[in-house]
Amino acid sequence: MTCADLVVAGLDQLLTCGGPAPKTGPAMREVGLLEKAWIAGCQGKVIFVGSEKEFKEKVNPAENARIIDGRGLVGLPGLVDAHTHLPFAGNREREFSLRLQGYTYQQLAAMGLGIQTTVRATREVSREELKDLCRKRLRAMLLNGATTVEAKSGYGLNYEDEIKQLEVVRELAGEQPVSLVPTFMGAHEIPPEYRTERKAYIELLINRVMPEVRQRRLAEFFDIFCEPTVFNLEETRQLAEAALKLGFKLKIHADEFIPIGGTELAVELGARSVEHLINITPEGIEKLSRSRTAAVLLPGVSFFLMMDKKAPARELLDRGAIVALASDFNPGSSHLLSMLFVLQLGVFTLRMTVEEAVNACTINAAYALDRQDRCGSLETGKDFDLILCDLPSYLSLAYELGRNPVKTVIKAGRVVVQDGHPVS
Ligand code: NIG
Ligand code: FE
């Protein structure tokens, strides 16, 4: 008999989202639904998932085990946010207001605003101030069900401030419950001081910043904003190849506005994921659907920028691509902290089924971060990351809008949110 230290008993529904990971095609419609389910963990790992009868046969709760009553609740894996620009300072409220008056996101960028506004603000703040900002955001993400979050640098755009962002992420990883996956994105934009010497900035990244980030293990992934006005295809290739050589895993922001071959390059180089894809081409869809590169769709961007165009989720899913959803939390194009809202946008704006959206926010998002062996599903041996929602059934994850149903969050076997409030 196995010994459990935490048990959730008699959940109305439990979605295990069990693998194999990643899920594609018909498997995306399977969420591993169990009714009247019991789940138990020991030392932060899942040791049992099943019925009450099986539980009583197989599991022996420790004397001081905590037993949570799951009646009336729906349980699912802690949500995984596979794409955020977490460590930034300031906000872009004024630019938001300008957009409402008719300026486009790209026009603002061409005026020296956009990402550059946030670069100025992020360079100005101290490490402690930046950390406080991120801590508050992570708390909000957790309350909305995210237990693993990727975090990109990319608003420093110089040696000191890129490292500052990544060090803040590293420190926060040990100080609060959400697991963080750091990505170095010095190639988010060309900084103003290098406008006329793009090559020199790329060389600074390749020769100085990237080797140090790698050597200090400050980031696991490398990401590039591939767009004609930011890094063109040739520059993206140069940066991506250098990153792979240094041992980074690769992500690419591609086809957000103008497709220039970023998706095709990501597939060719075996990137773990390619993100945005609002304007992916038919050739891009074809290549991506036959690859192991995950398509990370960010429906918050089309919503927040009020674009009619959306990423072609249905076509990607129907052709067997690996589809994940993420928030793209950032101050300019998706100021959005709730993965539950992302799941809902996946359903309402990308026409995904609830089951597909759930898998895209859990198991496939974990795959996009190369964390599929640890999180994203509730299976024996994986991290005990579970959220309990006050809903009549899992369909209401998408059906019921505007109320946060997350009551309890368990992270690595510890209750970190109770009755909708953080446990300190
Ligand atoms: O993923 N596309 C590039 N980067 C972010 C936006 C950054 C910003 O506007 O500050 C994105 O959408
Ligand atoms: Fe992004």
Side-chain angles (χ1 to χ4, degrees):
M1 264 207 173
T2 13
C3 191
D5 56 26
L6 179 64
V7 178
V8 184
L11 283 159
D12 280 11
Q13 294 189 328
L14 178 66
L15 314 184
T16 66
C17 299
K23 292 195 180 201
T24 56
M28 278 298 268
R29 296 190 177 223
E30 297 296 330
V31 284
L33 172 63
L34 302 173
E35 313 245 345
K36 302 267 168 280
W38 288 52
I39 176 165
C42 183
Q43 295 181 352
K45 300 286 178 194
V46 175
I47 57 162
F48 171 85
V49 183
S51 67
E52 179 174 7
K53 184 168 174 285
E54 290 166 317
F55 176 85
K56 294 204 161 133
E57 284 162 13
K58 293 188 186 150
V59 187
N60 176 25
E63 218 167 275
N64 57 351
R66 181 161 180 183
I67 318 275
I68 296 174
D69 184 357
R71 283 175 301 175
L73 299 171
V74 174
L76 65 155
L79 303 176
V80 177
D81 194 344
H83 180 144
T84 89
H85 299 259
L86 178 77
F88 66 83
N91 68 56
R92 305 238 286 276
E93 284 176 338
R94 290 199 39 231
E95 294 178 31
F96 173 58
S97 162
L98 286 172
R99 280 204 293 112
L100 297 178
Q101 290 163 47
Y103 287 88
T104 66
Y105 179 78
Q106 291 108 304
Q107 280 168 338
L108 293 172
M111 287 155 63
L113 300 172
I115 293 176
Q116 305 287 6
T117 302
T118 306
V119 170
R120 286 189 282 276
T122 305
R123 286 179 176 179
E124 264 169 32
V125 286
S126 71
R127 185 176 303 256
E128 279 313 309
E129 287 169 305
L130 187 59
K131 210 163 141 185
D132 280 347
L133 288 167
C134 294
R135 201 181 279 117
K136 288 194 185 108
R137 293 169 187 153
L138 287 167
R139 189 181 309 140
M141 288 170 159
L142 181 71
L143 291 172
N144 283 282
T147 49
T148 299
V149 168
E150 186 251 17
K152 302 176 197 293
S153 69
Y155 290 115
L157 306 187
N158 61 28
Y159 175 81
E160 293 75 22
D161 294 295
E162 284 293 314
I163 299 279
K164 175 174 86 182
Q165 287 187 283
L166 292 173
E167 285 178 347
V168 161
V169 171
R170 166 167 289 176
E171 285 173 27
L172 281 164
E175 294 176 16
Q176 51 74 55
V178 177
S179 295
L180 295 173
V181 179
T183 295
F184 176 50
M185 201 176 178
H188 193 195
E189 178 53 295
I190 300 277
E193 60 275 22
Y194 281 93
R195 281 271 138 181
T196 52
E197 313 163 69
R198 315 172 54 85
K199 273 207 167 84
Y201 182 62
I202 294 171
E203 277 164 22
L204 171 77
L205 289 178
I206 294 178
N207 298 327
R208 179 158 182 229
V209 198
M210 287 160 62
E212 169 147 349
V213 169
R214 220 25 231 152
Q215 197 238 325
R216 293 180 55 201
R217 296 283 185 268
L218 281 169
E220 179 175 336
F221 288 91
F222 184 77
D223 196 348
I224 310 157
F225 190 9
C226 178
E227 196 67 37
T229 48
V230 191
F231 292 94
N232 64 34
L233 191 65
E234 202 181 306
E235 292 165 337
T236 302
R237 179 185 284 281
Q238 188 191 354
L239 285 157
E241 286 178 345
L244 290 171
K245 225 168 166 184
L246 284 165
F248 284 100
K249 297 170 197 169
L250 187 62
K251 296 182 171 292
I252 297 182
H253 278 58
D255 302 338
E256 181 176 4
F257 300 108
I258 299 175
I260 52 170
T263 295
E264 293 84 335
L265 180 68
V267 171
E268 179 197 324
L269 297 178
R272 188 68 182 191
S273 62
V274 61
E275 335 240 330
H276 281 292
L277 310 179
I278 295 170
N279 286 293
I280 188 173
T281 62
E283 301 78 64
I285 294 177
E286 171 67 23
K287 289 222 166 94
L288 191 52
S289 302
R290 286 193 279 108
S291 79
R292 301 293 290 169
T293 298
V296 178
L297 309 183
L298 313 166
V301 175
S302 293
F303 177 77
F304 199 79
L305 297 183
M306 293 172 265
M307 296 162 77
D308 293 328
K309 196 95 187 263
K310 316 276 186 287
R314 275 270 48 97
E315 196 174 347
L316 287 163
L317 283 161
D318 295 343
R319 299 187 57 170
I322 302 163
V323 173
L325 289 169
S327 70
D328 195 17
F329 171 68
N330 77 75
S333 67
S334 184
H335 199 224
L336 161 51
L337 285 161
S338 164
M339 271 306 284
L340 268 183
F341 187 52
V342 171
L343 187 155
Q344 291 160 354
L345 287 173
V347 171
F348 282 91
T349 70
L350 302 184
R351 306 261 169 168
M352 295 169 77
T353 66
V354 178
E355 293 79 7
E356 287 168 339
V358 167
N359 282 318
C361 293
T362 55
I363 184 84
N364 278 10
Y367 174 84
L369 296 179
D370 199 10
R371 290 289 187 282
Q372 68 284 354
D373 295 334
R374 283 203 73 151
C375 62
S377 65
L378 294 161
E379 297 174 274
T380 308
K382 283 192 154 189
D383 290 356
F384 194 174
D385 294 353
L386 170 69
I387 63 176
L388 305 181
C389 299
D390 166 24
L391 294 169
S393 92
Y394 76 88
L395 292 173
S396 282
L397 287 166
Y399 171 64
E400 185 178 325
L401 303 174
R403 176 181 74 94
N404 182 358
V406 178
K407 288 286 159 234
T408 303
V409 179
I410 294 167
K411 173 65 195 177
R414 212 163 58 82
V415 177
V416 291
V417 172
Q418 201 171 2
D419 293 326
H421 297 287
V423 176
S424 46

